[in-house]
Amino acid sequence: MEKSKKDEIILQQLDVIRTMSEHNLSRMGTDFWGSPLPVRKEEDQPGGAASTGNDDTMAPPVEEPAPPEKMEDLQAELDSYIGLAAVKKEVKNLINMVTVYKLRRDNDLPTTDLSLHMVFSGNPGTGKTTIARIMARIYHALGILSKGQLVEVDRSGLVAGYVGQTALKTSKVIDSALGGVLFIDEAYALNGRAENDFGQEAIDTILKAMEDHRDDLVVIVAGYDGLMDAFIHSNPGLESRFNRFLHFDDYSVDEMLEIFKMQCRKGCYELGDGVEQQLREFIAEENTNSISFGNARGVRNLFERILVNQANRLAALDAVTREDLMKITTRDVALARGLEEEPECGAAQKSRSTPDAPPAGAAEEDLK
């Protein structure tokens, strides 16, 4: 077979395998904390998140209200998340408190004002958005919220660049969140320091909406620990409305390894001999800074890098079996760690191509 034809076949196989790997990743979704349950598309999930993006005129799409889920199913899903022990305890305390509040109200007993707005603090990749999403579904199941959707937004989705536009832009986002949870990531970015910054206008609009729609809107603000404290204490209105704080600890190496293994189970991947210990070392090496590595997000990046190396390895084979597609080897991890170099294209071809032609003048018995 001509060399150019071999190269063409290798490239075709590589494209097919990479496409399969990307399909597996998309099926697994972005939730790196839960159990390996069948994953539906985000738009099919009750209480799915809607991202606002940077469009100044368009509000996030509003989903049709989904029927409330069973509390026992939501509790089981919460329990399945890796780590988050302190957060799980606080969420369960909140569920019990809301349940009793509802029972007292249903029995015409006096109740105190119940504020469900929360502050989530912690480093990136510690599960803040995941917990916000399930909280929206829990509040819907408890009858506190009418829809249970999560609308996720940051400063760019709330603040406009012209006088009078920020209130309008923020109001559209709030309208899309009514009946559910408005999740504001890196909320302290709204505290503008420039004279012409309109972040305070967004804060004022949100505070008014929290009062006007107190029975059908929950606001969760999230970000780094110290910055979130400063943000809440920068405004008396914020201090009075946000009195529930949940801190999200960084994941341990063992927990991040378990997150990686969970994703393997979701995607039907198997770890070869010696891979688990190699992964533990790899995660420990990369996790020198929990902020830059990003906890579970960092694990996802490692996972994707390893799958790219697996795809490159499989592309060099004459035939790829189901077992080959499922197996992650020590070499796949070693290449991601930079402990080994990528094989030269010619070397890869040689491993999968027909034997080289015999040298000119070779004796017949030498070919047997």
Side-chain angles (χ1 to χ4, degrees), residues 32-251:
F32 256 63
W33 292 266
S35 57
L37 300 173
V39 177
R40 294 172 290 172
K41 292 182 179 179
E42 185 68 43
E43 59 266 24
D44 295 334
Q45 294 189 23
S51 176
T52 62
N54 296 314
D55 195 326
D56 288 354
T57 58
M58 296 295 293
V62 180
E63 299 177 358
E64 288 297 319
E69 300 171 78
K70 295 180 180 179
M71 273 305 302
E72 53 266 33
D73 293 339
L74 292 169
Q75 290 268 18
E77 181 177 337
L78 179 65
D79 290 337
S80 75
Y81 293 157
I82 295 168
L84 304 173
V87 171
K88 291 176 185 176
K89 181 179 178 181
E90 288 301 320
V91 170
K92 290 177 180 178
N93 289 343
L94 186 57
I95 291 172
N96 293 337
M97 189 187 69
V98 171
T99 301
V100 172
Y101 171 86
K102 285 264 301 174
L103 289 172
R104 288 185 62 87
R105 193 170 63 179
D106 292 345
N107 284 275
D108 296 323
L109 293 171
T111 57
T112 57
D113 289 338
L114 185 64
S115 176
L116 301 177
H117 310 298
M118 289 180 283
V119 179
F120 287 2
S121 63
N123 290 327
T126 48
K128 297 186 290 294
T129 305
T130 295
I131 294 298
R133 182 178 294 112
I134 197 171
M135 287 306 306
R137 294 158 58 197
I138 287 171
Y139 286 153
H140 183 36
L142 291 171
I144 297 296
L145 294 175
S146 61
K147 298 178 182 177
Q149 82 278 18
L150 179 82
V151 173
E152 183 180 357
V153 71
D154 58 14
R155 175 189 165 89
S156 66
L158 298 170
V159 179
Y162 303 96
V163 175
Q165 294 299 308
T166 292
L168 178 61
K169 185 176 183 179
T170 302
S171 294
K172 287 182 179 179
V173 173
I174 291 169
D175 288 344
S176 70
L178 292 180
V181 169
L182 175 61
F183 181 77
I184 307 174
D185 196 19
E186 297 185 349
Y188 37 73
L190 294 174
N191 266 346
R193 288 170 171 73
E195 182 178 348
N196 294 325
D197 186 86
F198 304 112
Q200 185 58 49
E201 186 178 352
I203 293 174
D204 294 339
T205 304
I206 292 167
L207 290 175
K208 184 176 185 303
M210 291 167 71
E211 182 65 26
D212 294 344
H213 304 286
R214 66 174 71 182
D215 294 330
D216 206 20
L217 175 67
V218 170
V219 178
I220 298 176
V221 291
Y224 294 111
D225 289 322
L227 293 173
M228 288 309 301
D229 288 339
F231 170 69
I232 296 300
H233 297 308
S234 69
N235 186 308
L238 294 172
E239 283 185 313
S240 65
R241 288 171 175 82
F242 290 97
N243 54 15
R244 300 189 183 282
F245 292 76
L246 268 67
H247 174 72
F248 290 70
D249 292 323
D250 291 330
Y251 286 100

